[in-house]
Amino acid sequence: MMERIVGWSSRNPKKVIVGWILLVAAAVLLGDVAGSGAKTTDAGEAGKAQSMIRAQKVTSSYTENVLIEAQNRDRPFLGTPDLENAARDLSGRLKALPGATTDIVTPLDDERTRAALVSTDGRSGLVSFTIPGPGAEADKHFAEIKKELGAVQDAHPGVRFAMAGDISLTSAIDKAADDDLARAEQLSLPVTLIILILVFGALVAAAVPVFLAATAVFAGLGFLGLVGTVVPANSTVSSVVLLIGMAVGVDYSLFYLRREREERAAGKDASEALKISARTSGHAVVVSGITVILSLAGLFLAQVDTFNGMAIGTIIVVSLAVLGSVTVLPALLSLLGRKVDALRVPFLGRSRTTATSSRGWSAIAGAVSRHPIVFGGIALLALVGLALPAFGMKLSEPGRLDSLPRSIPAVDAGVRLQQAFPGGADPAQVVVWGTGATTGAAERAVAELRREAAASDLLGDQISASPVGDVLSIKVPLAGSGTDDTSVEALRTLREDVLPEAFANTPDLEYAVGGRTAGLHDFAEVLKARTAWVIGFVLVLAFVVLVIAFRALLVAAVSMVLNLLAIGAAMGIVVLGFQNGDFADLLGFSSFGGVVNWLPLFMFVILFGLSMDYHVFILSRVRERWARGESAREAVVRGVGSSAGVVTSAAVVMIAVFAMFATLSGIEYKMLGVGMAVAILIDATIVRGVLLPAALSLLGDRAWSLRGRPATASASDTATESVAVPVRAASDENDNDAESLSHAASTTTTRSENR
């Protein structure tokens, strides 16, 4: 099947290439015209509150706050003429803007607002107002308000103003996400191209994988925009699609292209080289891609919108990368012929086309195979030591003020607001519905809520209530940063103690608590309940794939353990670097004391799929050697050594792409980039070079068959075995090229003879 697809593509290269370009163009166009995407809904009770608000079909309004204080916070707000005059000036200018603001309140209005809008230490005042929607109109009003705020700042140079609220913080986050995505695109392409030039030694050969990966990413983002009108996908998904798409797109093309070049270097014509590459590398690319896709499908078991969007986006881009590597890549190679080696780099061009075994990795594998307990034990202890901090992992979610650096003005303003008025930046939203939700019964409940909140140290008393269609929306400030233990305890107090008491005498009213803190807490609770199902699904799937590929239970079991060790070590480093803050100065972030709650599960799923790529490739080379009659130790040494060049090249590309995300502004991107890069580095070095050879050497022949090696290992047996395992690399060493290629080319005949 694979050979037929590749054969047709190579015979019709122009049709395939033009078709691919049209597919990419159509995807981008459809993504642009798809319109606004489906909105993600929070999990649990927070999602219910969110849905009730959305069901009202009422134009949204947005709350903004302006913090007013002396430049050095050395004077009280009340009684200081400069500060009071600044508040009056701002309020007057806002009221003069036609239709731009409503519900303007200041600390100077009356006794109630004075108590609510002056900070506990008395040094800060707050002017709060509402900007009516819809979104486009609100953005226009917000621009007018920012202009007036600048004028007020100029008129009162001794006063510090800081605006934070729904639009200012959301627009800052969206702009940072867009800038991050653009920066990642600008960095990933040239860095990847440079690495591939070093790998292939020729500009044309290096450009081919970059072209395929980049077009797969563009098409993936376009299709994501289209699918996103039905399946919700937040802003993080686009960056993840770019990250995974570039990594796997280049990886798949790298193996295929390198195999084809090596076959031609061994004397095969272009047609035969493509056939052998399809039978080996092409087959393995499809197996690897399917494994990654099936692993990603495990995220659907979590049943939360965040993971659904990530799963859809990454499945789309991986599918496109596989499709491009088995259709467009053969077409390009057929069209280019030997011109694929054009524009060679001096001192690199000729050496990169030969298939040689790595002396360094062969030496390491040889030493490990001679002393597997010593070297394997040291490596095992090292990974266990790195993984230990992961047991102290605290899953959380950075608040809007923790995710981005304070160098962004809106974030700095939000931090100042949070310090002066805890909970003001991210209040809880209590949604009330039922008979009397917007009448006197609800008003009495709100009054009782204010009394209960005033008596609590965990709830702020700046409570506002406004009708939204047929429901009532109540904003209640929570103590803490919005995502820390204090905020979670404040949320629990509101849900379990204060609200039941406040609504005790209103049996016709129902309510649900939403907002950012509630949404993140409920998401974490759902995730905690369903993580085991996702992990179990991926583990069973990976085990079954390995057993089918190698028909060796012990190899599958060892691979599972090694993958878990590599992922555990990577998560331990993430805990040390981000939760404990050891990487804060290096990467430019402020630790929020936890790890992004979706990161471990997402990394687990992705890495288990990607690690199969290297494991299948390396293990197939070792098994092929063993099946030819080599001793288990010799098969390990030569198999690891012969696969080193391709695995190292692919790993370097992946590590570079992932590491680039550590330079972006969002802390979740930094965590994802560092975690993925470290995991791939460990997998391609310690696991590939030490633990895997040690384990296979200790198991010996039992690794591949509990009954031991077959009595004879004829050429026919070897050829048949090599088909059962998706072997992707070229012949292991020059002296074995003819034998290996003969086995691969005679597969069909051998199968018939073996029947």
Side-chain angles (χ1 to χ4, degrees), residues 134-463:
E137 288 296 319
D139 290 341
K140 179 181 177 182
H141 296 325
F142 182 70
E144 296 172 347
I145 292 167
K146 286 182 66 177
K147 183 178 179 181
E148 292 299 324
L149 181 59
V152 175
Q153 178 70 80
D154 293 339
H156 303 272
V159 179
R160 182 167 61 191
F161 298 85
M163 181 164 62
D166 293 339
I167 296 180
S168 52
L169 287 175
T170 300
S171 60
I173 292 171
D174 291 343
K175 184 178 185 303
D178 292 341
D179 291 346
D180 279 346
L181 185 60
R183 192 184 319 154
E185 291 174 349
Q186 294 168 0
L187 288 173
S188 61
L189 292 178
V191 170
T192 302
L193 182 60
I194 291 171
I195 295 172
L196 290 175
I197 289 173
L198 296 176
V199 170
F200 289 114
L203 294 178
V204 175
V208 169
V210 174
F211 167 76
L212 286 174
T215 50
V217 168
F218 290 143
L221 292 173
F223 283 126
L224 178 63
L226 181 63
V227 176
T229 59
V230 179
V231 179
N234 60 27
S235 58
T236 305
V237 176
S238 296
S239 296
V240 171
V241 167
L242 172 63
L243 177 77
I244 303 301
M246 285 301 298
V248 301
V250 170
D251 197 19
Y252 295 159
S253 300
L254 174 64
F255 285 118
Y256 198 107
L257 177 57
R258 183 146 182 160
R259 179 62 186 259
E260 190 272 346
R261 295 178 87 224
E262 291 171 347
E263 296 298 347
R264 286 192 291 105
K268 298 296 179 182
D269 60 31
S271 177
E272 185 65 19
L274 284 173
K275 288 180 180 179
I276 296 173
S277 299
R279 192 161 51 238
T280 54
S281 295
H283 176 67
V285 163
V286 173
V287 170
S288 177
I290 290 174
T291 303
V292 174
I293 290 169
L294 291 176
S295 296
L296 288 166
L299 290 175
F300 291 122
L301 297 178
Q303 298 180 19
V304 291
D305 284 355
T306 299
F307 281 149
N308 290 343
M310 287 186 178
I312 286 291
T314 47
I315 285 173
I316 288 173
V317 78
V318 171
S319 301
L320 288 168
V322 172
L323 177 63
S325 68
V326 298
T327 57
V328 186
L329 182 56
L332 285 170
L333 295 178
S334 175
L335 193 64
L336 290 170
R338 293 194 177 274
K339 292 180 181 179
V340 74
D341 295 330
L343 302 178
R344 288 182 176 178
V345 179
F347 308 110
L348 293 178
R350 188 171 301 278
S351 63
R352 297 304 182 190
T353 61
T354 59
T356 58
S357 182
S358 169
R359 294 181 180 179
W361 284 112
S362 295
I364 293 173
V368 171
S369 64
R370 287 191 298 271
H371 307 284
I373 295 178
V374 174
F375 288 102
I378 293 173
L380 180 62
L381 289 175
L383 290 190
V384 170
L386 289 174
L388 285 177
F391 290 97
M393 182 187 301
K394 179 184 176 184
L395 295 180
S396 183
E397 177 77 9
R400 291 188 292 182
L401 305 178
D402 298 317
S403 176
L404 300 173
R406 286 189 66 173
S407 57
I408 298 175
V411 175
D412 181 69
V415 171
R416 296 184 184 281
L417 175 63
Q418 181 69 29
Q419 292 170 345
F421 297 91
D426 278 318
Q429 183 181 34
V430 182
V431 180
V432 183
W433 67 92
T435 304
T438 57
T439 61
E443 292 177 0
R444 290 190 293 273
V446 172
E448 181 61 28
L449 174 60
R450 287 196 174 98
R451 286 191 291 271
E452 293 286 337
S456 172
D457 295 333
L458 295 172
L459 304 178
D461 55 4
Q462 302 90 19
I463 295 176

Side-chain angles (χ1 to χ4, degrees), residues 529-752:
R530 295 174 183 166
T531 292
W533 290 99
V534 178
I535 292 177
F537 174 84
V538 174
L539 289 176
V540 170
L541 173 70
F543 186 79
V544 169
V545 169
L546 285 172
V547 170
I548 293 173
F550 297 106
R551 299 193 292 276
L553 292 174
L554 290 178
V555 168
V558 167
S559 298
M560 303 286 284
V561 173
L562 295 184
N563 284 344
L564 289 173
L565 279 172
I567 296 172
M571 291 312 307
I573 292 175
V574 169
V575 169
L576 290 175
F578 292 91
Q579 182 172 307
N580 297 356
D582 292 353
F583 297 164
D585 293 336
L586 177 65
L587 299 180
F589 66 89
S590 297
S591 174
F592 62 93
V595 173
V596 178
N597 52 18
W598 55 263
L599 184 73
L601 189 59
F602 183 73
M603 273 185 56
F604 173 83
V605 170
I606 287 289
L607 289 171
F608 239 91
L610 294 180
S611 65
M612 294 289 288
D613 196 34
Y614 298 147
H615 274 279
V616 167
F617 177 52
I618 297 169
L619 290 172
S620 64
R621 304 310 295 273
V622 176
R623 188 181 192 280
E624 182 181 355
R625 291 285 187 179
W626 176 82
R628 289 178 184 170
E630 295 179 4
S631 67
R633 175 180 167 275
E634 186 179 9
V636 168
V637 175
R638 300 183 73 179
V640 170
S642 63
S643 62
V646 180
V647 170
T648 300
S649 300
V652 168
V653 172
M654 277 199 175
I655 291 169
V657 172
F658 293 150
M660 279 184 290
F661 273 66
T663 67
L664 305 185
S665 57
I667 193 171
E668 48 273 82
Y669 299 149
K670 294 179 185 292
M671 284 190 190
L672 180 62
V674 170
M676 297 286 284
V678 168
I680 295 297
L681 177 62
I682 291 172
D683 194 45
T685 55
I686 299 177
V687 172
R688 179 264 300 259
V690 182
L691 283 175
L692 184 60
L696 293 179
S697 297
L698 287 172
L699 290 173
D701 293 341
R702 292 172 299 173
W704 306 108
S705 174
L706 294 177
R707 296 187 300 272
R709 189 196 311 275
T712 59
S714 65
S716 296
D717 295 331
T718 304
T720 304
E721 292 295 332
S722 67
V723 175
V725 181
V727 182
R728 291 183 295 187
S731 48
D732 295 326
E733 297 179 295
N734 292 332
D735 61 337
N736 288 312
D737 282 347
E739 179 187 3
S740 295
L741 297 178
S742 175
H743 292 328
S746 63
T747 297
T748 305
T749 304
T750 302
R751 279 181 168 172
S752 299

Side-chain angles (χ1 to χ4, degrees), residues 500-513:
E501 185 68 25
F503 286 86
N505 298 320
T506 54
D508 294 333
L509 296 180
E510 298 181 69
Y511 60 84
V513 180

Side-chain angles (χ1 to χ4, degrees), residues 394-403 418 426 478-489 516-518 520-521 592-594 597:
K394 179 184 176 184
L395 295 180
S396 183
E397 177 77 9
R400 291 188 292 182
L401 305 178
D402 298 317
S403 176
Q418 181 69 29
D426 278 318
L478 303 175
S481 66
T483 58
D484 59 6
D485 291 339
T486 302
S487 295
V488 173
E489 180 61 23
R516 183 171 178 81
T517 300
L520 295 175
H521 172 72
F592 62 93
N597 52 18

